[in-house]
Amino acid sequence: MEQNFPENLRIIQSRAFYRCKELKEITLPDTLTKIGAEAFYFCPIETLELPKRIQRLDHKAFFGCKKLRNVYIPESVTYLGEEAFHGFNWMEYLVIHHDPEYIGTRIVNKNCTIRCKKGSKMDAYCEVQGLQREYI
């Protein structure tokens, strides 16, 4: 199943697609600024392209989305909630070229590699959290 959203959508509310086991594809509108807590909790989404204006990913927004492998976090994101991409072991890379104002604990599982800038806040975060990283 594919989910298309209205073009003027700004917020996906908390638990909007909680455990929606048929949701494999989503196309998020450019107007989206926030994805609420547990919005896509345990959904089998296979790919994720976050809009360039998104600012906030609340806690556990994509928790348990076992089919995700690689995610790029746009520079517009200022809030990256706790366990946003946690709860599954198959995610290979989380790419983040900037330093959000807030980064929650355990945003990914330990086997995921964070691609970030050397000496950045994300680099220090990875050190403290014991996460693998590659420098861009």
Side-chain angles (χ1 to χ4, degrees), residues 2-3 9-10 18 21 50 61 67 130 135:
E2 180 176 353
Q3 176 66 46
L9 183 69
R10 297 193 65 221
Y18 186 86
K21 294 178 182 174
L50 293 168
K67 303 245 178 187
Y135 298 123

Side-chain angles (χ1 to χ4, degrees), residues 92-103:
E92 296 171 9
Y93 296 102
L94 183 73
V95 181
I96 184 161
H97 295 180
H98 73 292
D99 291 327
E101 291 173 22
Y102 177 81
I103 307 165

Side-chain angles (χ1 to χ4, degrees), residues 72-119:
Y72 170 77
I73 305 295
E75 292 190 26
S76 56
V77 172
T78 58
Y79 185 98
L80 190 53
E82 293 84 7
E83 299 182 338
F85 296 95
H86 205 271
F88 56 102
N89 292 321
W90 297 276
M91 190 158 168
E92 296 171 9
Y93 296 102
L94 183 73
V95 181
I96 184 161
H97 295 180
H98 73 292
D99 291 327
E101 291 173 22
Y102 177 81
I103 307 165
T105 58
R106 301 179 350 147
I107 57 173
V108 295
N109 281 25
K110 296 240 183 221
N111 60 325
C112 181
T113 299
I114 305 279
R115 288 185 171 159
C116 63
K117 292 180 181 173
K118 187 172 185 167

